[in-house]
Amino acid sequence: MAETLIADQHAHDAAHAHQFDDVEQQRDAATMGMWVFLATEVLFFGGLFASYIIYRTLYPAAFAVASQTQDIVLGTTNTAVLIISSFAVAVAVYGAQTGRRRTTIWALALAIALGVVFLVIKFYEYYQKYVDHHVPGPSFEFPAPYTEPAKMYFTLYFLMTGLHAIHMIVGCGLLAVMIIMARRGDFTREYHSPIENSGLYWHFVDIIWIFLYPLFYLIGRHLE
Amino acid sequence: MGAVTTKTEEVQENYLNAEYGWKSWLFTTDHKRIGLLYLVSITLFFFLGGLFALLIRLDLLTPPGDMMSSEAYNKMFSMHGIIMVFFFLIPSIPAVLGNFVIPMMIGARDVAFPRLNLLSWYLFNIGGLCMLYAVVNGGVDTGWTFYPPYSSNFSNTNVAMAVTAIFIAGFSSIVTGLNFIITIHTMRAPGMTWFRLPLFIWSLYATSLIQVLGTPILAISLALVAAERLLHLGVFDPAYGGDPVLFQHIFWFYSHPAVYIMVLPSMGVVSELIPTFARKIIYGYKVVAAASVAIAIFSFLVWGHHMFVSGQSIFIGMVFSLLSYAVAIPSAVKVFNWTATLYKSSVSFQTPMLYAFGFIGLFTIGGLTGLFVAALGVNIHVTDTYFIIAHFHYIMVGGAVMGYLGGIHYWWPKISGRMYPEIWGKLAALTIFVGFNLTFFPQFILGYLGMPRRYHAYPPEFEMLNVLSTAGASILGVGYILPLIYLAWSMRYGEKAGPNPWFATGLEWRTPSPPPKKNFLETPVVTWEAYDISGQPDLVERLHNEDRIYKSALQAEERKREELGVETPAEGA
Ligand code: HEM
Ligand SMILES: [Cu+2]
């Protein structure tokens, strides 16, 4: 009896921070905090997307030719990998909401594994670019007359997918923390906002890729 | 406030004496202590930035600029601008006063994310240290605007380090803004509806929106400059097909809204000071509140007015000019509402109110000259001259810093539990006002006559006005040092303030000074409208008994009623 009381007390403390009146207020704050944070992320990427739009409009032909050097199979595979991982995260969140701890843990593990697959493929693509002399810098090579604007294309490619990859790495770390929390039994039917918010973050990072993929792989491919 | 009287005055526990030792400060998550930590950090940066300003003005004392080389001068104005904008003005009111009073004003125990709040202070200081490193390691010379290709390909100074510093400090600003938005949304006390919020909260809410939505854009634009320098990528480099003007677009898309990060909070302070010291409900509460949000929105639509001469098309120039005129409307609405509040009120001229008056006058001049420079034709004449310098200093120093000092004096009794010495306060406020105008008014004339900005030497016919300006700057410097001294003095020797020395209506005044660690002895319940004294009977009673100005105003009203034969309305109705 005494033991359960103490355990209750502990769970209560872990879930409820002093500045909030109740757990519900705390959950509202956490969820809203995540959405506002994602808004800042949208604008963070926004500067790069704006640059992309401007240079694509200035140099449409060069961008089309440059995107034909991309490996469409790898790009498409990666897109599929991320969509499945987002599904896995959704399952994990559902598991936490309904008290299915094992489901949560396995789904999170799957999502992380898929995230790693994505990163491995991405770095392989970077390596291919290096072999092909498509990394902007002194060794850059691209047939005239598109040398300069193609360099711009690859600059944007590395900056945007690189920033996205950094977000993926952070996301994998977050999900790993969620696994630890789930194994400790921190999540209950009432309290699961950390995993929900990590899920939001993961979906957001996926959505960024859903935009990057057509911009760098698809648009202008059919022109030749 | 009878509930808080204790037999011995001194034993009361508050946020300052609840814990001792440096650890209790450096690891605190109490929003009040974090506000004070920020106060220390930004005060240091303010005086560092001020030192650079002093050197600039000393160099300009003589036409050939005898004191330093043009390279040194370039570094001086760059470091002055960077430090003052990013390390003083942007955090000033939000991070110090906002942190301290927002939770109390809305009746909360703390901000929504106290640990993130502390993180923000650490980020700020890490950014600050990077900046100091850049300064002592030879400085930066690009101007606070970091325009490429100079900043990316040509400057031989610590651009990458300075840019990193701003990048990091930018995240502290984002975290603060995010925290405030969530706090204001989710943590209001029972009865504290949106339209009962003090106008300071509305202003800071609007400010936070800009911080959250604008700062990431600044971060990415500066990151791109750093990438160009370090990795030789070329997003803005014409040699790669890049466009340097694109940087200006991205930079000003943040930095024009950022000027409102600096001035909106001051407007919020003034909206608190005027009803308090005029003993009157603010005129047009909802309009003033909406104007804050309108400014935040409009501010994102006018960035192109910084690029009228950067090769923008005439058509786009006209659009931006028109939109810039539009953003002046909500600002003007506020000024009219403040003055309307003052109309036939009983003003008490205490130090914070002097700053409020200073703000209104100087902000008006700054805003109106903003309209001059937003007119396409006039802009071409005055752009990149001292006229621009004068324009934005009237707003950023005359407006924002005045509001900041007004707020510091106003909330000082709450922060420290003690009154500052009133005579010294008034003296400093007047010194600052005189010094400010003497420094910057001549610069309008200089700019109009054609003296360009950012040069360390000038033709001899401008000497007279420059000497006046430097003289003013030294008076201004004295004015800024005074509060530092007497506020520190008052922490020990000042008179005990009591919970509500100003007879103000905000919730932060319904708790002891300094406040207890959890802000309130019990969660307050709000039943009155903003600034409405009649909702707080204990306050009305104190005003009747203790306040000379309020009494004489009441008597005057009474006499008037008798003359007109109107019946006195029932008390508290
Ligand atoms: C009333 C609305 C305002 C209008 C219409 C306005 C207009 C302008 C324009 C057109 C310029 C560009 C001048 C040029 O470089 O040729 C300018 C510069 C500037 N304004 Fe304003 N302004 C307004 C309010 C403000 C406010 C509230 C602040 C600060 C809190 C501010 C700070 C600045 C700064 C810092 C610059 C110079 C930036 C630089 O080149 O270093 N302005 N303003
Ligand atoms: Cu502007």
mmCIF file of all heavy atoms in Angstrom, chain B residues 447-465:
data_model
loop_
_atom_site.group_PDB
_atom_site.id
_atom_site.type_symbol
_atom_site.label_atom_id
_atom_site.label_comp_id
_atom_site.label_asym_id
_atom_site.label_seq_id
_atom_site.Cartn_x
_atom_site.Cartn_y
_atom_site.Cartn_z
ATOM 1 N N GLY B 447 22.859 65.185 -42.302
ATOM 2 C CA GLY B 447 22.454 64.261 -43.353
ATOM 3 C C GLY B 447 21.761 64.999 -44.482
ATOM 4 O O GLY B 447 22.012 64.741 -45.660
ATOM 5 N N TYR B 448 20.931 65.934 -44.102
ATOM 6 C CA TYR B 448 20.216 66.691 -45.130
ATOM 7 C C TYR B 448 21.196 67.462 -46.000
ATOM 8 O O TYR B 448 21.018 67.582 -47.205
ATOM 9 C CB TYR B 448 19.214 67.631 -44.459
ATOM 10 C CG TYR B 448 18.385 68.371 -45.459
ATOM 11 C CD1 TYR B 448 17.357 67.730 -46.145
ATOM 12 C CD2 TYR B 448 18.665 69.703 -45.758
ATOM 13 C CE1 TYR B 448 16.620 68.391 -47.089
ATOM 14 C CE2 TYR B 448 17.924 70.377 -46.705
ATOM 15 C CZ TYR B 448 16.904 69.716 -47.371
ATOM 16 O OH TYR B 448 16.178 70.373 -48.313
ATOM 17 N N LEU B 449 22.282 67.967 -45.340
ATOM 18 C CA LEU B 449 23.285 68.709 -46.105
ATOM 19 C C LEU B 449 24.189 67.779 -46.898
ATOM 20 O O LEU B 449 25.005 68.244 -47.696
ATOM 21 C CB LEU B 449 24.135 69.558 -45.163
ATOM 22 C CG LEU B 449 23.387 70.682 -44.435
ATOM 23 C CD1 LEU B 449 24.311 71.383 -43.460
ATOM 24 C CD2 LEU B 449 22.814 71.665 -45.436
ATOM 25 N N GLY B 450 24.095 66.488 -46.649
ATOM 26 C CA GLY B 450 24.835 65.560 -47.504
ATOM 27 C C GLY B 450 26.003 64.845 -46.869
ATOM 28 O O GLY B 450 26.800 64.228 -47.563
ATOM 29 N N MET B 451 26.144 64.895 -45.539
ATOM 30 C CA MET B 451 27.254 64.152 -44.951
ATOM 31 C C MET B 451 26.947 62.654 -44.958
ATOM 32 O O MET B 451 25.981 62.212 -44.364
ATOM 33 C CB MET B 451 27.505 64.609 -43.515
ATOM 34 C CG MET B 451 28.627 63.821 -42.858
ATOM 35 S SD MET B 451 29.133 64.511 -41.290
ATOM 36 C CE MET B 451 29.956 63.118 -40.544
ATOM 37 N N PRO B 452 27.764 61.847 -45.646
ATOM 38 C CA PRO B 452 27.472 60.413 -45.730
ATOM 39 C C PRO B 452 27.778 59.713 -44.414
ATOM 40 O O PRO B 452 28.604 60.179 -43.624
ATOM 41 C CB PRO B 452 28.414 59.922 -46.823
ATOM 42 C CG PRO B 452 29.528 60.893 -46.834
ATOM 43 C CD PRO B 452 28.990 62.206 -46.364
ATOM 44 N N ARG B 453 27.097 58.596 -44.178
ATOM 45 C CA ARG B 453 27.407 57.805 -42.996
ATOM 46 C C ARG B 453 28.582 56.878 -43.278
ATOM 47 O O ARG B 453 28.951 56.667 -44.430
ATOM 48 C CB ARG B 453 26.173 56.999 -42.571
ATOM 49 C CG ARG B 453 25.772 55.947 -43.569
ATOM 50 C CD ARG B 453 24.413 55.337 -43.280
ATOM 51 N NE ARG B 453 24.477 54.278 -42.280
ATOM 52 C CZ ARG B 453 23.542 53.329 -42.138
ATOM 53 N NH1 ARG B 453 22.473 53.315 -42.919
ATOM 54 N NH2 ARG B 453 23.655 52.411 -41.215
ATOM 55 N N ARG B 454 29.181 56.355 -42.205
ATOM 56 C CA ARG B 454 30.240 55.348 -42.299
ATOM 57 C C ARG B 454 31.550 55.858 -42.928
ATOM 58 O O ARG B 454 32.252 55.096 -43.580
ATOM 59 C CB ARG B 454 29.753 54.113 -43.053
ATOM 60 C CG ARG B 454 28.633 53.392 -42.325
ATOM 61 C CD ARG B 454 28.208 52.118 -42.988
ATOM 62 N NE ARG B 454 27.314 51.362 -42.088
ATOM 63 C CZ ARG B 454 26.654 50.269 -42.440
ATOM 64 N NH1 ARG B 454 26.779 49.792 -43.640
ATOM 65 N NH2 ARG B 454 25.884 49.653 -41.575
ATOM 66 N N TYR B 455 31.858 57.159 -42.752
ATOM 67 C CA TYR B 455 33.177 57.664 -43.153
ATOM 68 C C TYR B 455 33.849 58.264 -41.940
ATOM 69 O O TYR B 455 33.184 58.878 -41.118
ATOM 70 C CB TYR B 455 33.051 58.750 -44.224
ATOM 71 C CG TYR B 455 32.750 58.217 -45.594
ATOM 72 C CD1 TYR B 455 31.455 57.884 -45.955
ATOM 73 C CD2 TYR B 455 33.773 58.048 -46.527
ATOM 74 C CE1 TYR B 455 31.166 57.386 -47.214
ATOM 75 C CE2 TYR B 455 33.492 57.548 -47.795
ATOM 76 C CZ TYR B 455 32.195 57.217 -48.124
ATOM 77 O OH TYR B 455 31.913 56.729 -49.362
ATOM 78 N N HIS B 456 35.168 58.116 -41.844
ATOM 79 C CA HIS B 456 35.802 58.610 -40.623
ATOM 80 C C HIS B 456 36.273 60.055 -40.763
ATOM 81 O O HIS B 456 36.760 60.638 -39.820
ATOM 82 C CB HIS B 456 36.935 57.687 -40.194
ATOM 83 C CG HIS B 456 38.272 58.071 -40.733
ATOM 84 N ND1 HIS B 456 38.547 58.150 -42.058
ATOM 85 C CD2 HIS B 456 39.416 58.408 -40.093
ATOM 86 C CE1 HIS B 456 39.805 58.496 -42.234
ATOM 87 N NE2 HIS B 456 40.342 58.671 -41.061
ATOM 88 N N ALA B 457 36.121 60.649 -41.943
ATOM 89 C CA ALA B 457 36.528 62.041 -42.117
ATOM 90 C C ALA B 457 35.420 62.766 -42.879
ATOM 91 O O ALA B 457 34.580 62.130 -43.504
ATOM 92 C CB ALA B 457 37.831 62.122 -42.900
ATOM 93 N N TYR B 458 35.409 64.098 -42.785
ATOM 94 C CA TYR B 458 34.339 64.839 -43.455
ATOM 95 C C TYR B 458 34.833 66.234 -43.805
ATOM 96 O O TYR B 458 35.828 66.704 -43.241
ATOM 97 C CB TYR B 458 33.093 64.896 -42.571
ATOM 98 C CG TYR B 458 33.329 65.456 -41.196
ATOM 99 C CD1 TYR B 458 33.297 66.837 -40.967
ATOM 100 C CD2 TYR B 458 33.596 64.624 -40.122
ATOM 101 C CE1 TYR B 458 33.527 67.346 -39.700
ATOM 102 C CE2 TYR B 458 33.829 65.129 -38.859
ATOM 103 C CZ TYR B 458 33.786 66.500 -38.654
ATOM 104 O OH TYR B 458 34.026 67.005 -37.410
ATOM 105 N N PRO B 459 34.162 66.912 -44.736
ATOM 106 C CA PRO B 459 34.589 68.262 -45.114
ATOM 107 C C PRO B 459 34.449 69.234 -43.944
ATOM 108 O O PRO B 459 33.546 69.078 -43.122
ATOM 109 C CB PRO B 459 33.615 68.657 -46.229
ATOM 110 C CG PRO B 459 32.869 67.434 -46.587
ATOM 111 C CD PRO B 459 32.989 66.465 -45.483
ATOM 112 N N PRO B 460 35.347 70.241 -43.886
ATOM 113 C CA PRO B 460 35.396 71.125 -42.719
ATOM 114 C C PRO B 460 34.085 71.863 -42.448
ATOM 115 O O PRO B 460 33.814 72.188 -41.292
ATOM 116 C CB PRO B 460 36.500 72.123 -43.055
ATOM 117 C CG PRO B 460 37.181 71.597 -44.243
ATOM 118 C CD PRO B 460 36.378 70.523 -44.873
ATOM 119 N N GLU B 461 33.250 72.106 -43.467
ATOM 120 C CA GLU B 461 32.046 72.897 -43.169
ATOM 121 C C GLU B 461 31.071 72.167 -42.252
ATOM 122 O O GLU B 461 30.170 72.769 -41.691
ATOM 123 C CB GLU B 461 31.335 73.352 -44.453
ATOM 124 C CG GLU B 461 30.838 72.234 -45.341
ATOM 125 C CD GLU B 461 31.805 71.940 -46.490
ATOM 126 O OE1 GLU B 461 33.033 72.054 -46.261
ATOM 127 O OE2 GLU B 461 31.351 71.590 -47.592
ATOM 128 N N PHE B 462 31.269 70.862 -42.067
ATOM 129 C CA PHE B 462 30.375 70.120 -41.160
ATOM 130 C C PHE B 462 30.878 70.094 -39.716
ATOM 131 O O PHE B 462 30.273 69.467 -38.856
ATOM 132 C CB PHE B 462 30.216 68.667 -41.640
ATOM 133 C CG PHE B 462 29.511 68.536 -42.964
ATOM 134 C CD1 PHE B 462 29.910 67.580 -43.878
ATOM 135 C CD2 PHE B 462 28.452 69.380 -43.291
ATOM 136 C CE1 PHE B 462 29.259 67.456 -45.105
ATOM 137 C CE2 PHE B 462 27.797 69.242 -44.510
ATOM 138 C CZ PHE B 462 28.200 68.291 -45.420
ATOM 139 N N GLU B 463 31.995 70.768 -39.458
ATOM 140 C CA GLU B 463 32.633 70.601 -38.155
ATOM 141 C C GLU B 463 31.739 71.024 -36.997
ATOM 142 O O GLU B 463 31.561 70.307 -36.016
ATOM 143 C CB GLU B 463 33.949 71.377 -38.103
ATOM 144 C CG GLU B 463 34.646 71.193 -36.760
ATOM 145 C CD GLU B 463 36.093 71.648 -36.784
ATOM 146 O OE1 GLU B 463 36.506 72.264 -37.790
ATOM 147 O OE2 GLU B 463 36.804 71.388 -35.798
ATOM 148 N N MET B 464 31.151 72.204 -37.143
ATOM 149 C CA MET B 464 30.346 72.783 -36.074
ATOM 150 C C MET B 464 29.270 71.791 -35.578
ATOM 151 O O MET B 464 29.165 71.513 -34.387
ATOM 152 C CB MET B 464 29.706 74.051 -36.649
ATOM 153 C CG MET B 464 28.612 74.627 -35.827
ATOM 154 S SD MET B 464 29.317 75.405 -34.396
ATOM 155 C CE MET B 464 27.825 75.933 -33.600
ATOM 156 N N LEU B 465 28.508 71.252 -36.507
ATOM 157 C CA LEU B 465 27.419 70.351 -36.103
ATOM 158 C C LEU B 465 27.952 69.059 -35.496
ATOM 159 O O LEU B 465 27.365 68.504 -34.568
ATOM 160 C CB LEU B 465 26.528 70.044 -37.306
ATOM 161 C CG LEU B 465 25.661 71.226 -37.763
ATOM 162 C CD1 LEU B 465 25.077 70.986 -39.145
ATOM 163 C CD2 LEU B 465 24.541 71.489 -36.770
#
